């Protein structure tokens, strides 16, 4: 009796949250599942009722993570894969592939410092995706996202599997931070807050559009500037607070799970699923740019425009372009090296 009531209540809750009653089978892979982001992300994806199969991959320690997570009484079946020889099996049949793989930032290290290590990891993983699940929707978390997304695009182009609708840089953590910081300053319920964040996913390339934030709070310009700076420096704030013993892993895992959930809803036909993401774009003259996107059955169905900007945001937009352009070009150059 209790179980049937619980299931009924859970079903009603899923309907309220935009889930369909007949939920399709969906396989999701997490590449880098034994890492600081990967483990909590694996946990959160195991809790997602839209996932029917969860494949956890890393170069070491994945069997233990998979065994641990598999004991949770939720829908998905969990399998762990370790080492390059098992990567193909992890990827076969995937609908969504989430990539948090790579090394974390350390104190004094910028996202750019991570480039050579993480770029090589991403290049290898994307080559395998092109081979084993070329139609999967790829969620790129590995930093620097401003470069790893262009790297992935070049790898897929070479493999002739590139579909711009199926490659998304996960910038959701910038949105999560902007919402949290804005709610605190405006003294409004954070659950009601929406703040679009555009540009890129590092430093000044992160541009929160607080002029478009809802509910409207009419904060003074000095508060907007302080909120913008804090959003841009959010990762550094966590790295310094952890005193060299980690980076923003838990909040990043949460943000990654939010974006993956949105992708799954879109694939399942839920209407009007809109999130910010770093994608191939014509919103500006840059080939990749983060803005609101509408997610659907084919991935990114529509890249939305920036909307009206304040003078401060217009200045920020022009200021970020040279750095973002450089990061994109760096990724493309790396991908085309032999």
């Amino acid at each position: 009796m209790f179980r049937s009531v619980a299931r009924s209540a859970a079903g009603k809750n899923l309907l309220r949250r935009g889930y369909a009653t007949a939920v399709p089978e969906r396989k999701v892979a997490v590449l880098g599942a034994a890492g600081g982001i990967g483990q909590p992300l694996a946990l959160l994806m195991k809790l997602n009722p839209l996932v029917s199969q969860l494949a956890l991959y890393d170069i070491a320690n994945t069997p233990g993570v998979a065994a641990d997570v598999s004991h949770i009484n939720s829908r998905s079946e969990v399998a762990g894969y370790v080492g390059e020889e098992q990567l193909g099996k992890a990827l076969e049949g995937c609908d969504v592939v989430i990539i948090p793989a790579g090394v974390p930032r350390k104190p004094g290290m910028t996202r750019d410092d991570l480039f050579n290590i993480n770029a090589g990891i991403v290049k290898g993983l994307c080559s395998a995706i092109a081979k084993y699940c070329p139609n999967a929707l790829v969620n790129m978390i590995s930093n620097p996202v401003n470069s790893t997304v262009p790297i992935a695009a070049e790898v897929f182009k070479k493999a002739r599997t590139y579909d711009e609708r199926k490659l998304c840089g996960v910038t959701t953590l910038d949105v999560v931070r902007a919402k949290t910081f804005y709610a605190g300053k405006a003294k409004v319920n954070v659950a009601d807050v929406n703040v679009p964040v555009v540009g890129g996913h590092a430093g000044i390339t992160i541009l929160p559009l607080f002029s478009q934030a809802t509910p409207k709070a009419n904060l003074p310009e000095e508060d907007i500037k302080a909120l913008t700076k804090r959003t841009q420096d959010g990762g550094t704030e966590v790295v310094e607070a952890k005193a060299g013993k980690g980076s923003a892993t838990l909040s990043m895992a949460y943000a990654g799970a939010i974006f993956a959930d949105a992708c799954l809803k879109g694939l399942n036909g839920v209407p009007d699923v809109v999130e910010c993401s770093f994608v191939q774009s014509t919103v500006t003259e840059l080939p990749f740019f983060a803005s609101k996107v509408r997610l659907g059955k084919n991935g990114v169905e529509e890249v939305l425009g920036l909307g009206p900007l304040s003078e401060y945001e217009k200045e920020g937009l022009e200021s970020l372009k040279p750095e973002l352009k450089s990061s994109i070009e760096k990724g493309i150059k790396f991908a085309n090296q032999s």
Side-chain angles (χ1 to χ4, degrees):
M1 176 71 175
F2 174 78
R3 286 182 181 176
S4 64
V5 170
R7 278 197 294 268
S8 175
K12 289 176 184 175
N13 187 44
L14 291 179
L15 282 172
R16 281 197 298 270
R17 292 167 60 191
Y19 296 109
T21 47
V23 184
E25 299 284 310
R26 294 295 181 193
K27 180 178 177 181
V28 174
V30 179
L31 308 186
I37 297 169
Q39 289 198 42
L41 179 56
L43 169 64
L44 293 170
M45 295 315 297
K46 178 68 173 97
L47 297 176
N48 190 313
L50 301 182
V51 182
S52 57
Q53 292 183 70
L54 183 60
L56 305 180
Y57 170 83
D58 215 318
I59 57 171
N61 303 321
T62 346
V65 176
D68 194 357
V69 170
S70 71
H71 291 181
I72 294 169
N73 59 327
S74 61
R75 179 192 182 200
S76 56
E77 295 181 2
V78 182
Y81 303 91
V82 61
E84 284 188 33
E85 64 280 0
Q86 294 185 13
L87 178 55
K89 190 156 187 188
L91 292 172
E92 284 174 353
C94 276
D95 297 288
V96 176
V97 179
I98 313 171
I99 310 180
V103 299
R105 283 203 298 165
K106 295 175 183 175
M109 181 186 283
T110 66
R111 284 186 169 88
D112 222 36
D113 294 330
L114 303 179
F115 180 80
N116 285 326
I117 300 170
N118 289 354
I121 293 170
V122 165
K123 190 174 180 181
L125 293 174
C126 288
S127 295
I129 290 168
K131 182 177 180 181
Y132 294 105
C133 57
N135 296 316
L137 179 49
V138 177
N139 291 184
M140 184 67 70
I141 292 174
S142 302
N143 277 318
V145 166
N146 293 353
S147 298
T148 54
V149 168
I151 288 170
E154 291 301 307
V155 171
F156 296 148
K157 285 174 186 176
K158 281 186 181 178
R160 297 184 179 180
T161 64
Y162 182 54
D163 182 344
E164 65 194 65
R165 301 171 299 175
K166 299 290 183 75
L167 176 59
C168 298
V170 180
T171 60
T172 313
L173 182 51
D174 302 325
V175 176
V176 166
R177 286 173 173 150
K179 288 179 178 180
T180 301
F181 303 157
Y182 178 86
K185 182 62 72 173
K187 294 182 170 47
V188 294
N189 184 350
V190 70
D192 298 329
V193 170
N194 193 22
V195 183
V197 181
V198 304
H201 184 56
I204 68 160
T205 70
I206 300 166
L207 183 61
L209 303 182
F210 288 114
S211 70
Q212 298 178 24
T214 54
K216 197 80 174 168
N218 295 316
L219 296 174
E221 187 167 337
E222 59 265 28
D223 285 350
I224 296 298
K225 288 181 177 179
L227 287 171
T228 299
K229 179 75 168 142
R230 191 179 179 199
T231 303
Q232 292 172 338
D233 294 343
T236 302
E237 183 178 316
V238 175
V239 168
E240 290 176 351
K242 290 188 175 182
K245 295 181 180 175
S247 58
T249 52
L250 302 176
S251 53
M252 183 63 250
Y254 168 77
I258 290 290
F259 188 76
D261 179 68
C263 290
L264 289 164
K265 285 179 183 175
L267 291 175
N268 289 351
V270 175
D272 298 319
V273 179
V274 175
E275 295 286 340
C276 292
S277 181
F278 186 68
V279 297
Q280 183 172 315
S281 173
T282 56
V283 167
T284 70
E285 64 273 23
L286 299 174
F288 295 90
F289 199 80
S291 65
K292 286 182 180 179
V293 302
R294 192 180 312 281
L295 297 163
K297 292 185 177 182
N298 296 301
V300 177
E301 300 282 6
E302 184 182 6
V303 179
L304 304 176
L306 299 179
L309 304 182
S310 69
E311 286 306 312
Y312 176 67
E313 290 160 356
K314 288 177 184 176
E315 290 171 12
L317 177 61
E318 294 310 310
S319 296
L320 71 81
K321 286 179 181 178
E323 184 170 322
L324 183 53
K325 182 174 185 283
S326 175
S327 296
I328 292 168
E329 289 174 347
K330 188 173 182 181
I332 293 170
K333 182 180 177 182
F334 180 90
N336 289 316
Q337 292 172 349
S338 57

